Amino acid sequence: MNIIAIDIGTSNCKAVITGMDLKVFKTFEYATSPIKPKQGWNEQNATTIFKEVIKLLQQSINFCGEENVACVSFSAAMHSLLAVDKSGEPLMNMLTWADLRSAKYAQALEKSNLGKKLYKATGVPIHAMSPLCKLMWLKAKQKAVFRRAYKFISIKEYIFLKLFNKYIIDHSIAAATGFLDAKNICWYGEVLKLAGITEEQLSELKPVEYYETALLPSIKRKLKITKKIPFVLGASDGALANLGSGIVNAKNAAVTVGTSGAVRITSNKYLIDKKQRLFCYYIGDGFYITGGALNNGGIVLQWLVEKILKESFRTETRLDALFTAAASVKPGSNGLIFLPYILGERAPVWDENAKGCFIGLTDTHTEAHITRAALEGVCYAVVDVLRALEENSGNINNIYLSGGIIKSDVWVQLLADISGKKIMLNEAADASALGAAFIGMKALGKVKNITAAKMFLQNVKTVKPSVANHRIYKKYFAVYSSLYGRLKDVFAELTAMN
């Protein structure tokens, strides 16, 4: 028997097929392109994504044979927002997490006592990524759409609506909306009032292992199936990435650095940061995913190569040469520090106005210094979130690292030296999809608790920090961590000028 894990992301949709031992043996994938009508806007067409999901299901079921499909389970990106009418048809393009048009509403709310109260109750930092802030923008700027909306939903809710004609949302996706009371696991009345909507305009809350089997007849015909296959709600991609990597306690952190990045722990405590630097999202069985997402990971290196050096980011020999040159530079890049906020930033500053900048630039600095400073800057940003986590949850022993960063030994060593922690290279492919498959197993009664996901914990290689280099980096990190506070008002002024 097989499990089909459908992972709905903002850059691709994929189907990962596993056996009942959760070993992957087939993947199907489609790229999804964002729609960017204006700077700071980031949309997707929900109907197009649904069609891609149907194609993935058709391919997967055909590959497995319907008699061999134990269940279908879902992973999806967080923070999407779509308004639909009474017939379930979209009234707009879906807004993704990267859409920043609600920034001014987020910034005003974040500064208020109400914003602090909402963060404490929901665990969602006040930021333009949040569906709450997106709804505030929609109410003010798209009044006709807001008035006509029957429901406000995410992309995964839309998929289940089209499959089963039901409005249902899992606890994990709901936890990232800004509308969920994170302790009592119910819709939070005060935030509904702020957004100007009712509970009836949101979907029905369900556990991540909840499933439906009664597909609409038209969908059954498209998929060419006759048996009742459980379609499991699953969870958010971030939460499932932790489970798919085997991170089930607060002593290990899952760190991903791809185009963007994330730092997360799994805890049985609702951890709220007094400085509002971290998110805390419920997943199930009394467990929460706590951490922070970074806008700026590998995109920093891509920017440097393509926009500054005017070269191809896809040329591996050139990238290798850059890493080699960076490795020849001493820790601290000869007094050069890079604040890597070229796309604004989420954790730990949650500021859409944040900007990237080099501090300490002199005529002694070369391409190698600038490259190393950029790589160090991304590592500083990761450690900034790690430090916030440790302040709230206690010491983190190990970092389980995944993403494109692991292709560079130089960059991995920099993260070890700057963090002062052992890096466990985790090469588990498609961690979010594996997490979805695991939730499928839970829905089928094959595992009892989320902690069973520790089966995925793997360590291909360990990278230890240099004690001498870490001693140097502690001084540089102290300077780095003070920079945003000193420059925050300057960033806001620069944004206002454009």
Side-chain angles (χ1 to χ4, degrees):
M1 297 294 284
N2 306 132
I3 295 175
I4 300 172
I6 302 293
D7 186 15
I8 307 165
T10 52
S11 58
N12 61 64
C13 291
K14 66 176 65 173
V16 176
I17 301 171
T18 77
M20 295 301 284
D21 58 358
L22 300 182
K23 300 295 184 184
V24 176
F25 59 88
K26 187 65 177 178
T27 300
F28 298 102
E29 185 171 354
Y30 291 100
T32 56
S33 299
I35 302 166
K36 299 180 180 180
K38 295 182 181 180
Q39 184 176 0
W41 292 29
N42 198 296
E43 306 174 349
Q44 287 184 314
N45 186 296
T47 302
T48 299
I49 292 174
F50 175 69
K51 290 177 180 178
E52 290 175 350
V53 169
I54 289 295
K55 287 190 287 186
L56 289 170
L57 288 169
Q58 288 171 331
Q59 288 175 300
S60 300
I61 293 170
N62 182 61
F63 178 84
C64 298
E66 71 165 303
E67 68 281 0
N68 294 318
V69 179
C71 70
V72 178
S73 188
F74 288 79
S75 164
M78 293 176 274
H79 311 304
S80 60
L81 179 70
L82 179 68
V84 296
D85 63 19
K86 285 188 177 181
S87 62
E89 293 303 311
L91 295 170
M92 55 187 284
N93 278 335
M94 181 188 75
L95 310 185
T96 76
W97 68 266
D99 192 280
L100 300 178
R101 70 189 75 180
S102 64
K104 75 172 186 178
Y105 300 93
Q107 289 159 7
L109 181 59
E110 189 269 337
K111 295 174 183 176
S112 70
N113 289 330
L114 176 59
K116 294 179 176 66
K117 181 179 180 180
L118 296 183
Y119 168 72
K120 188 175 181 180
T122 67
V124 182
I126 307 299
H127 185 268
M129 69 173 188
S130 167
L132 164 61
C133 298
K134 290 179 170 70
L135 259 180
M136 293 171 67
W137 172 86
L138 196 70
K139 180 182 178 182
K141 298 297 184 180
Q142 297 288 323
K143 294 179 181 179
V145 171
F146 187 85
R147 284 195 300 267
R148 287 184 60 198
Y150 176 66
K151 295 277 187 179
F152 297 101
I153 60 178
S154 69
I155 186 58
K156 187 143 68 73
E157 292 164 81
Y158 180 73
I159 300 300
F160 269 76
L161 172 66
K162 301 299 283 186
L163 294 176
F164 298 100
N165 197 31
K166 290 186 177 182
Y167 289 98
I168 50 179
I169 183 172
D170 71 84
H171 289 158
S172 174
I173 289 289
T177 62
F179 287 97
L180 189 75
D181 181 328
K183 285 187 176 180
N184 298 306
I185 317 301
C186 61
W187 295 123
Y188 185 39
E190 191 157 350
V191 75
L192 295 176
K193 183 178 179 181
L194 173 65
I197 64 172
T198 65
E199 187 172 327
E200 288 69 33
Q201 288 179 284
L202 300 178
S203 295
E204 184 180 357
L205 292 162
K206 297 290 185 181
V208 296
E209 64 268 25
Y210 176 85
Y211 63 83
E212 291 280 348
T213 59
L215 285 166
L216 294 175
S218 60
I219 300 298
K220 291 183 73 173
R221 287 193 295 271
K222 283 184 180 179
L223 300 182
K224 297 180 180 179
I225 60 175
T226 57
K227 64 176 285 191
K228 288 187 175 181
I229 296 173
F231 278 65
V232 183
L233 269 180
S236 71
D237 55 358
L240 292 175
N242 263 38
L243 297 186
S245 299
I247 306 300
V248 294
N249 63 52
K251 294 300 180 184
N252 294 323
V255 174
T256 303
V257 180
T259 302
S260 54
V263 184
R264 299 179 297 264
I265 60 170
T266 305
S267 173
N268 58 3
K269 297 178 181 179
Y270 180 53
L271 299 172
I272 290 298
D273 177 46
K274 291 181 180 179
K275 298 178 183 177
Q276 302 184 56
R277 294 168 295 179
L278 305 172
F279 59 67
C280 189
Y281 301 147
Y282 186 71
I283 181 169
D285 294 339
F287 284 88
Y288 294 82
I289 304 297
T290 302
L294 308 171
N295 286 354
N296 304 281
I299 192 67
V300 168
L301 184 60
Q302 184 175 350
W303 162 81
L304 179 64
V305 172
E306 293 183 345
K307 299 293 181 65
I308 306 302
L309 302 181
K310 303 293 185 182
E311 298 180 29
S312 172
F313 185 62
R314 305 302 173 189
T315 305
E316 289 189 17
T317 53
R318 181 62 176 116
L319 289 178
D320 289 342
L322 283 173
F323 284 121
T324 299
S328 69
V329 175
K330 293 180 180 180
S333 302
N334 193 24
L336 184 63
I337 294 178
F338 181 60
L339 201 62
Y341 302 155
I342 61 172
L343 293 179
E345 191 54 285
R346 285 180 286 172
V349 300
W350 301 101
D351 187 356
E352 301 87 351
N353 294 333
K355 304 284 189 291
C357 55
F358 286 97
I359 304 293
L361 191 64
T362 71
D363 64 354
T364 65
H365 291 115
T366 65
E367 178 184 290
H369 289 98
I370 290 171
T371 301
R372 184 176 180 112
L375 300 177
E376 289 174 339
V378 173
C379 294
Y380 289 140
V382 169
V383 173
D384 217 5
V385 180
L386 279 170
R387 294 289 180 263
L389 276 171
E390 290 188 312
E391 286 177 29
N392 288 275
S393 68
N395 189 55
I396 292 170
N397 295 333
N398 301 309
I399 293 173
Y400 283 80
L401 183 63
S402 61
I405 188 174
I406 68 175
K407 296 178 182 178
S408 169
D409 293 342
V410 173
W411 209 352
V412 173
Q413 187 65 57
L414 284 178
L415 182 57
D417 292 349
I418 291 172
S419 67
K421 298 183 183 300
K422 287 190 295 184
I423 306 291
M424 313 297 189
L425 296 187
N426 188 344
E427 294 183 348
D430 301 317
S432 294
L434 283 177
F438 172 81
I439 295 298
M441 291 285 284
K442 192 171 187 291
L444 296 172
K446 303 298 183 182
V447 295
K448 292 183 178 180
N449 192 280
I450 279 173
T451 56
K454 62 186 177 184
M455 71 175 77
F456 291 119
L457 196 65
Q458 61 172 283
N459 177 27
V460 178
K461 177 184 176 183
T462 301
V463 178
K464 295 180 180 180
S466 160
V467 175
N469 287 350
H470 180 59
R471 191 179 298 118
I472 296 169
Y473 278 125
K474 284 177 71 173
K475 296 177 182 179
Y476 278 101
F477 180 75
V479 176
Y480 170 90
S481 60
S482 72
L483 289 176
Y484 170 74
R486 299 182 191 185
L487 295 170
K488 179 179 180 179
D489 292 342
V490 175
F491 293 152
E493 288 178 25
L494 291 173
T495 299
M497 291 177 187
N498 293 329

